[in-house]
Amino acid sequence: MATTLIRSRAMITGTRDRNSWNEIAEGAVLQEDGVVVELGTYDDLSRKHPSVPVVGSGREILLPGFVNGHHHVGLTPVQLGSPDMPLELWFVTRMVSRNLNLYLDTLYSAFEMIASGITTVQHIHGWAPGTLPTVQAGSQEVIRAYEDIGMRVSYCYAVRDQNRLVYEEDAAFVARLPEELQGPMRQWFSRFKLSLDDHMDLFANLRSTYADKERVKIQLAPANLHWCSDAALTKIAAASAAGDVPMHMHVLETALQKEYAWRRGGCTAVEYLDRFGMLGPRLTLGHGVWLNERDIDRVAETGTCICHNCSSNFRLRSGIAALNRFEAKGINVAIGLDEAGINDDRDMLQEMRMVLRAHRVPGMEDDVPTSAQVFRMATEDGAKTTGFGSRIGVLEVGKAADMVLIDWQQISYPYLDREIGLLDAVVQRAKTQGVRTVMCAGEVIYDQGKFTNVDRDAALRALHDDLQRTLSDDEVDRRKLSKALLPHVKAFYKNYVDPEKHEPFYRQSSRV
Ligand SMILES: [Zn+2]
């Protein structure tokens, strides 16, 4: 039986409300086989369990591990040749992505995530070419990387069965293009061979393959409203209800998506999903930037979750989500680093500060994010949007032993006023270089800059070496196609939103 005692200078076990948290000075956690079995002071627990190995020096702050609520890829889009652009144009640039070794690619971002204290990721995979066996093999390579490194993954493969490049049917978009682009565009669409039934089979296959795994959960992902036919929404909603399976869905990331929903259903995207019975605690809306007041009320009333992807919304010019309204309505909101955070890496400590700062609207009311709120979003709230639910996200007896130890000296040296609250100090000042130890399911997976299960240097070298090969024919073709398509996609969206019908884009700035 693997038992350890994790000691701290102080530990934060969870939040009480948006201004307070539970803290134990010189606290410690006793974990057995990956489960927290006792909490208390280090003095008491070490006296009771004198022979149990100790993790931590007593100079660190102990916290529950963080949850990255929305993640897609290893190498970032910029690394793969896609600069930041408005989302709908950026999709076109993503065609240039290399044919990657999915195992090594997944390890790459896992290294960054774990080093910033993340122990669980919501991995939303997609855009894998080929038939069901090929796509499934790719899914398993992604999951194998997380299993090898030791972090938790809530994995889903995003269902897209229509409108794969712009917000209209593939064939209709092909018909708009000049003749010389029609063939290459058709060929690109034909790379993705999963039918809707294949998508549902993929979900069922993975779910049974990983049914007994402690650190792997398989969930559902209708990719976005425009990407899913009514048949897809119906099947996914039924599978979610039948197996009590969480769903993560990009919704209203941009103003153009708001217009798309209106054109499709004469209603908002949230109202459209409501028709399929999809709203509720099992559904997480990724982004949710363009929810209107009525949508927000409906999301709150149904217990639907939101994942706030703050940096991504800035980078792809999507807008600013109404986080302060979400919080005031009591909505469960996770934090997602999405593709690459603000700094083109996966640094949860930095993203928490981004969330803390981005919504500080003028005024003196208590309606802007607090440290405790952001911390709760990054832990307990994020947990509820994954397949692990309330098993993770707080340090309590019976919960999973997922923890991070952050050096207090890095936070407080050379001076920090004693009246600054512990959690305020951590959220505002902790940096990745201060992360000392990360544990998942009671196992130390990162310690003093080293990954205990995987050789980071060797994995990065292998990733680098693999990408030194010359571009394959299909990689070259996709580069050409992407460049040629850009003006046509831009033209498609020109005047897509009718300002007569909708509030102007800038109106949302008054309610961030
Ligand atoms: Zn996303």
Side-chain angles (χ1 to χ4, degrees):
M1 192 157 59
T3 305
T4 43
L5 184 59
I6 301 93
R7 74 177 294 194
S8 72
R9 184 183 197 279
M11 70 178 183
I12 294 167
T13 57
T15 60
R16 284 203 292 263
D17 54 44
R18 56 186 262 103
N19 290 299
S20 66
W21 55 90
N22 295 315
E23 175 182 327
I24 303 177
E26 292 173 23
V29 172
L30 184 76
Q31 73 80 27
E32 261 179 37
D33 293 334
V35 178
V36 173
V37 290
E38 220 174 328
L39 299 164
T41 63
Y42 177 67
D43 269 4
D44 283 350
L45 293 186
S46 60
R47 209 174 302 121
K48 276 169 77 180
H49 308 278
S51 58
V52 170
V54 175
V55 174
S57 67
R59 293 188 296 274
E60 298 92 7
I61 307 302
L62 176 59
L63 314 165
F66 302 130
V67 178
N68 177 8
H70 191 113
H71 174 73
H72 296 286
V73 289
L75 287 168
T76 69
V78 166
Q79 283 177 289
L80 290 169
S82 296
D84 290 358
M85 283 192 185
L87 180 83
E88 286 80 7
L89 302 180
W90 178 84
F91 285 143
V92 182
T93 73
R94 291 293 280 138
M95 279 182 179
V96 307
S97 184
R98 300 288 309 269
N99 298 327
L100 292 162
N101 176 320
L102 286 175
Y103 177 79
L104 295 173
D105 187 58
T106 304
L107 281 182
Y108 173 64
S109 49
F111 292 137
E112 292 184 337
M113 285 192 268
I114 292 168
S116 77
I118 294 168
T119 49
T120 299
V121 60
Q122 176 71 54
H123 188 115
I124 308 159
H125 192 189
W127 294 119
T131 55
L132 178 56
T134 318
V135 173
Q136 187 169 325
S139 301
Q140 293 183 259
E141 282 297 278
V142 168
I143 295 167
R144 185 167 70 87
Y146 290 119
E147 288 193 287
D148 283 358
I149 204 163
M151 79 186 284
R152 278 179 211 276
V153 58
S154 182
Y155 175 94
C156 45
Y157 190 87
V159 176
R160 293 178 171 88
D161 72 336
Q162 63 173 23
N163 303 344
R164 286 173 296 177
L165 191 69
V166 297
Y167 302 160
E168 75 172 349
E169 283 303 324
D170 298 346
F173 181 66
V174 170
R176 287 175 187 273
L177 295 173
E179 216 170 307
E180 69 273 14
L181 289 180
Q182 293 189 357
M185 186 74 253
R186 254 187 234 108
Q187 200 183 338
W188 186 80
F189 285 133
S190 73
R191 300 173 80 223
F192 308 103
K193 300 191 190 303
L194 293 197
S195 65
L196 178 55
D197 285 341
D198 288 337
H199 272 290
M200 300 316 293
D201 286 348
L202 174 64
F203 163 71
N205 295 347
L206 293 175
R207 203 158 160 82
S208 70
T209 304
Y210 296 98
D212 301 329
K213 298 284 186 169
E214 156 68 20
R215 297 185 217 181
V216 182
K217 294 284 177 202
I218 306 296
Q219 64 170 72
L220 290 155
N224 196 328
L225 182 59
H226 64 272
W227 276 316
C228 288
S229 65
D230 286 358
L233 297 177
T234 305
K235 285 202 171 183
I236 294 167
S240 170
D244 195 21
V245 180
M247 300 174 277
H248 195 114
M249 181 174 194
H250 296 83
V251 174
L252 294 170
E253 185 168 352
T254 66
L256 294 172
Q257 293 178 5
K258 182 175 183 174
E259 171 65 16
Y260 168 81
W262 185 258
R263 289 184 184 201
R264 176 159 165 183
C267 60
T268 72
V270 167
E271 287 163 353
Y272 200 82
L273 296 177
D274 216 357
R275 293 178 191 170
F276 293 80
M278 292 174 80
L279 303 181
R282 283 197 312 273
L283 179 67
T284 298
L285 310 179
H287 297 273
V289 176
W290 291 88
L291 299 166
N292 68 21
E293 303 282 339
R294 210 169 55 234
D295 292 336
I296 293 171
D297 285 344
R298 186 68 185 140
V299 164
E301 175 185 291
T302 53
T304 305
C305 305
I306 294 174
C307 184
H308 182 34
N309 302 338
C310 192
S311 291
S312 166
N313 294 339
F314 282 129
R315 292 185 61 171
L316 303 183
R317 300 177 63 178
S318 301
I320 301 174
L323 178 66
N324 297 340
R325 292 296 178 97
F326 302 163
E327 173 72 3
K329 297 280 180 183
I331 297 169
N332 186 88
V333 185
I335 293 178
L337 284 156
D338 206 349
E339 306 277 351
I342 202 71
N343 218 24
D344 220 49
D345 59 12
R346 268 49 71 119
D347 184 339
M348 196 62 170
L349 293 165
Q350 181 170 266
E351 189 70 13
M352 286 161 72
R353 276 187 286 280
M354 178 65 81
V355 173
L356 185 69
R357 307 298 191 215
H359 304 273
R360 294 180 68 75
V361 292
M364 295 185 185
E365 304 306 311
D366 173 26
D367 58 358
V368 299
T370 62
S371 297
Q373 176 194 338
V374 170
F375 181 77
R376 187 197 70 222
M377 291 168 69
T379 53
E380 200 176 350
D381 281 7
K384 287 181 191 153
T385 70
T386 72
F388 300 99
S390 58
R391 239 184 91 55
I392 60 169
V394 291
L395 295 177
E396 282 172 12
V397 171
K399 306 282 184 188
D402 294 2
M403 287 169 255
V404 53
L405 285 159
I406 302 182
D407 181 35
W408 175 245
Q409 168 111 340
Q410 184 269 303
I411 294 169
S412 63
Y413 184 80
Y415 180 72
L416 181 67
D417 193 291
R418 293 169 69 94
E419 290 195 16
I420 292 291
L422 179 64
L423 185 56
D424 290 309
V426 168
V427 171
Q428 306 211 35
R429 292 191 48 82
K431 309 293 189 306
T432 289
Q433 65 264 30
V435 172
R436 291 285 170 265
T437 306
V438 178
M439 293 179 85
C440 189
E443 181 193 12
V444 173
I445 60 172
Y446 179 76
D447 194 43
Q448 316 300 325
K450 289 252 177 294
F451 292 86
T452 56
N453 295 324
V454 174
D455 180 339
R456 172 166 54 182
D457 293 345
L460 295 186
R461 205 162 42 241
L463 182 62
H464 169 84
D465 290 348
D466 181 50
L467 289 167
Q468 299 314 299
R469 60 189 145 79
T470 49
L471 295 177
S472 64
D473 289 348
D474 85 288
E475 287 173 326
V476 172
D477 289 347
R478 285 187 279 115
R479 262 159 213 252
K480 282 192 205 144
L481 180 62
S482 169
K483 287 197 178 78
L485 282 175
L486 210 53
H488 300 286
V489 172
K490 218 170 180 171
F492 174 81
Y493 288 114
K494 198 168 186 309
N495 304 321
Y496 189 83
V497 175
D498 177 358
E500 296 290 304
K501 243 179 355 196
H502 295 298
E503 58 193 289
F505 291 7
Y506 55 78
R507 186 183 168 274
Q508 67 157 190
S509 64
S510 64
R511 57 172 177 83
V512 296

